[in-house]
Amino acid sequence: MSREEAERLFARNPYKLRYIRDIPPGETVSYYETGTWSDLCRGPHVPDTGWLAGVHLLGFSAITPEGREGTAPLQRIRGVGFPTEAALKEYLRLRAEAEARDHRALGQKLELFTFFDESPGFPALLPNGVIVLRELERFVREHLAEAGYAEVRTPLLWAQSVYETSGHWAHYQENMFLTVVDDRTFGWKPMNCPGSMLIFRARARSYRELPLRYAEFAPLHRKEASGTLHGLTRVREFVQDDAHLFVTEEQIEPEIRHLLDWIARAFSTFRLRWSYELSTRPADFLGEREVWDRAEATLERILKASGIDYRISPGEGAFYGPKIDIHIRDSLGRPWQTGTIQLDYQMPLRFGLQYQGPDGQLHTPVVVHRVILGSFERFLGVLLEHTGGRLPPWLAPIQARVLPVTETHMPAARGLLDELRQDGLRVQLTGTEESLSKRVRLAEVERVPYLLVLGDKEVAGETVALRTRGSREAVVLTRPELRARLAERIRMRAFEP
RNA sequence: GCCACUGUAGCUCAGCGGCAGAGCGGCUGAUUCGUAAUCAGCAGGUCGGGGGUUCAAAUCCCUCCAGUGGCUCCA
């Protein structure tokens, strides 16, 4: 139907008129009729609702029309329809399965983390959760060492003036926690960048120091709106595998290409699927349009040169620069941003950063802000959903459990426990008060990657029966074989036990 | 923050104006067991907090807090 016709038909509906206006000039304005029902819609529609045998309502919620708060909310009712009841049942089964992988439920069952009503949005990490986060940090730090980073630690609170310089005061204040000390206003840092800028500026810098790479794993605080909080994936306090690279114009491309390589390597280790987005200049931006255009073009050129498929997210850049964002999805398919590479010409200028070049002149460096896994908390949340809590052995809080069949096998079990502890494994020994079947079941429920059973046969033959997570069969190995095998799987950061 | 919904034992949930329950977990005892739950007993609760209606409130109403699903926003 023509645009004019549509506008006439929906003349009394301001929302529909707005949709019609938003349809780009070249595209067709489509309109559907199903029985007595008619509507403006991008479509397609089923020709007849009789085609839908299995119908299920998923829920309803308010949506804010025109993307503005304060406007009258509309109610959205969401549901799904399938040609057959069986297809609907299958869909609901898959959905229930996905819900069972919810990281919030797994976090509680596996005693990884918890939340207190008295501190909404601030995760409390239990002993098991700390083990996993420490291993993730170790994984990242190994790379930092290889790639020539230095690690810094800067203050959690900065005076207002620092944020005025960085631009956060004008562009990010509503997301910040503020504290008044001795009549001065301090802000809890929402990002690490100001601290790194100040360290760079703390003394004279030479071009010989560049690229200068400062990593920082400090807790960040962001006052997220209460309704947006979500388990570990959206919190008010978190730690990122953050770093700031101070580079010359020529060093931008090799540095970013190296980062893209590392992203692929890092995410492959977890068998995650990820996607790239190029986020461009937002409405609320710092600096000159030309500088932004150049920065966006640089990122786009590097993406193309690296043969990477990406989507463009117009206006989604940070207030100080465009960025390449990495997204991964949770068990219900909701996308979460993890890694990001941001090209920043603004903060170096605003902080007055300079280095002396080979020409003897002072130059302003460019800063690349980058995180790979993003927030460790969010990453753990998505990883739990991705694995259903079956973390790779190198991340598992309990890597192995020794199960003596009866009390008489206890001495041998203790010996094995000691040996594996010597090897650096996180290993436990169960008592024999519970039946072996029950202990095997518990270990599966707790997602322990390796079960080591010792009975008469094993003790006599100085062997161990190894049952790996998810397998119903046991393999008999000698102790040296077992130790070598476990150590190797963990050392290589194998995804499966 | 906005709209809707939900908060009962450590966990999962039943009860929905008339005596606060189950399973799992915990504790105690018995059982010593060969790869996904051995048996028995016991303990455990200001029914999220506060206020109201009622002879009587876990149950009805108001309010605050927290959570869930979306929306807006974002690592």
Side-chain angles (χ1 to χ4, degrees), chain A residues 445-460:
Chain A
V445 168
E446 292 173 46
R447 322 283 203 241
V448 178
Y450 300 109
L451 298 192
L452 313 169
V453 178
L454 285 176
D456 286 340
K457 280 179 285 180
E458 289 77 17
V459 170

Side-chain angles (χ1 to χ4, degrees), chain A residues 178-471:
Chain A
L178 301 178
T179 299
V180 175
V181 184
D182 296 340
D183 295 330
R184 267 178 104 187
T185 300
F186 288 80
W188 293 69
K189 65 176 172 186
M191 302 179 192
N192 289 311
C193 31
S196 282
M197 303 291 150
L198 291 172
I199 289 183
F200 185 93
R201 198 177 67 181
R203 66 165 170 78
R205 298 288 177 177
S206 154
Y207 73 94
R208 295 176 203 274
E209 294 180 72
L210 307 188
L212 182 63
R213 308 179 189 91
Y214 282 154
E216 177 160 10
F217 296 1
L220 303 178
H221 295 81
R222 298 186 186 174
K223 200 171 73 193
E224 302 290 352
S226 56
T228 62
L229 301 175
H230 184 92
L232 281 188
T233 49
R234 189 76 180 271
V235 293
R236 285 178 169 161
E237 179 183 0
F238 57 96
V239 179
Q240 292 178 316
D241 60 334
D242 203 3
H244 295 87
L245 319 182
F246 299 85
V247 301
T248 66
E249 195 75 36
E250 297 72 45
Q251 288 165 347
I252 294 173
E253 179 155 355
E255 285 299 315
I256 292 184
R257 294 190 81 145
H258 185 264
L259 289 174
L260 291 171
D261 281 351
W262 167 229
I263 284 169
R265 232 191 331 137
F267 284 81
S268 301
T269 304
F270 302 98
R271 302 237 186 120
L272 285 162
R273 291 175 58 189
W274 68 97
S275 59
Y276 301 88
E277 268 181 30
L278 176 60
S279 298
T280 60
R281 189 180 64 226
D284 182 31
F285 68 99
L286 285 179
E288 315 281 324
R289 275 167 203 277
E290 301 80 71
V291 176
W292 273 86
D293 290 343
R294 189 150 46 97
E296 288 172 9
T298 302
L299 290 182
E300 191 149 27
R301 192 184 67 239
I302 296 170
L303 282 170
K304 285 198 170 125
S306 307
I308 285 171
D309 279 332
Y310 60 95
R311 285 193 346 178
I312 294 185
S313 284
E316 295 295 317
F319 65 82
Y320 45 79
K323 49 188 188 140
I324 297 170
D325 292 326
I326 309 301
H327 287 93
I328 55 183
R329 288 175 182 272
D330 68 18
S331 57
L332 288 176
R334 293 173 293 209
W336 295 98
Q337 189 185 310
T338 53
T340 178
I341 300 173
Q342 314 179 338
L343 190 50
D344 178 10
Y345 287 86
Q346 306 306 326
M347 275 198 209
L349 215 55
R350 296 173 69 101
F351 276 95
L353 304 190
Q354 290 185 316
Y355 65 90
Q356 195 163 24
D359 56 0
Q361 302 294 304
L362 291 175
H363 302 270
T364 301
V366 181
V367 168
V368 178
H369 307 238
R370 112 288 178 279
V371 298
I372 306 299
L373 304 185
S375 142
F376 285 105
E377 290 81 356
R378 171 176 290 183
F379 187 81
L380 173 58
V382 181
L383 185 63
L384 283 172
E385 305 205 351
H386 174 62
T387 57
R390 288 171 194 84
L391 293 168
W394 64 280
L395 284 173
I398 301 155
Q399 295 171 316
R401 193 171 279 167
V402 182
L403 314 181
V405 174
T406 70
E407 196 61 33
T408 53
H409 310 114
M410 208 43 142
R414 285 210 183 86
L416 179 61
L417 177 80
D418 287 343
E419 280 180 22
L420 293 171
R421 285 213 168 127
Q422 293 284 312
D423 294 343
L425 261 70
R426 296 184 289 271
V427 54
Q428 294 178 335
L429 170 63
T430 68
T432 56
E433 304 79 17
E434 303 286 358
S435 69
L436 182 64
S437 289
K438 175 130 180 193
R439 286 178 281 150
V440 168
R441 177 185 145 73
L442 275 179
E444 282 295 339
V445 168
E446 292 173 46
R447 322 283 203 241
V448 178
Y450 300 109
L451 298 192
L452 313 169
V453 178
L454 285 176
D456 286 340
K457 280 179 285 180
E458 289 77 17
V459 170
E462 291 185 16
T463 58
V464 181
L466 167 69
R467 172 172 165 151
T468 48
R469 186 176 62 201
S471 138

Side-chain angles (χ1 to χ4, degrees), chain A residues 476-488:
Chain A
V476 177
L477 299 171
T478 66
R479 288 193 179 198
E481 281 169 352
L482 174 84
R483 292 171 68 180
R485 175 141 156 197
L486 300 201
E488 175 64 5

